[in-house]
Each structure stands twice: as C-alpha cells, then as structure tokens.
Amino acid sequence: MPLTAYTTSMDYLLQTPAQLAKHLPSLRNARHLTQAPLGMLVGLDQTRIAKIEADPRRVSVGQLFKILSALGVQVLLLSQEPDSAPKAPPAAADW
C-alpha cells in the first residue's frame, strides 16, 4: 500500500489478520517510523514489531492497542444494521 494512502484521515474495514498485516507497516511508514523506534514507543523490541507486522495473529490485544495508539489510530467497533442479515464470520483459515 503506498505511503500516501495514510496522509489523510480514512476509515478501513478490517475483518482478518491478513488485512491488518498490510496496514500496520504502511501506517508506521506514514509516520516516518522504523520498527525499532515504534518498538521503543510501546515497550517492545524491533524483532517483536517485525513478528507482529508479519503475523498479527501473534499479538495480544493490549500490545495491538499500544501499537495502534502510537501510530495515531483508533479502534471503532460498529454493529451491523439491525435489519440486515447476519454475515458469516471470516473463515478460520483467515485467522
């Protein structure tokens, strides 16, 4: 994803860890951070940040919130419209 994708405020719907894996490095790069300085901001080392970016399934919720906060990103939980049919969750293989 190009660096310019994160220069303006935008909303992204993420439903799988693979989608998050694509966004984390782009968000970090848009803030002109390498993995080491981001790790210092959140109390993790560079290798842990690299592992999280490569496979977000391996991150705790607490660590993810720290990283997203350091990147200036908020998490917003939205419920589906009450009159819409429930959607099937992503396949287990995506998680």
Side-chain angles (χ1 to χ4, degrees), residues 9-72:
S9 178
M10 299 187 86
D11 298 330
Y12 298 95
L13 176 62
L14 301 179
Q15 296 180 306
T16 67
Q19 292 169 327
L20 182 58
K22 293 178 182 178
H23 287 282
L24 286 175
S26 294
L27 288 164
R28 178 177 50 75
N29 289 328
R31 275 121 188 112
H32 307 289
L33 291 171
T34 62
Q35 292 172 341
L38 175 58
M40 289 175 53
L41 288 172
V42 298
L44 300 171
D45 62 25
Q46 179 274 327
T47 57
R48 180 70 182 131
I49 297 296
K51 288 177 184 177
I52 291 168
E53 288 183 353
D55 187 1
R57 294 176 296 180
R58 300 178 61 169
V59 66
S60 72
V61 173
Q63 287 178 342
L64 180 60
F65 274 82
K66 282 183 180 180
I67 291 168
L68 293 176
S69 178
L71 295 174

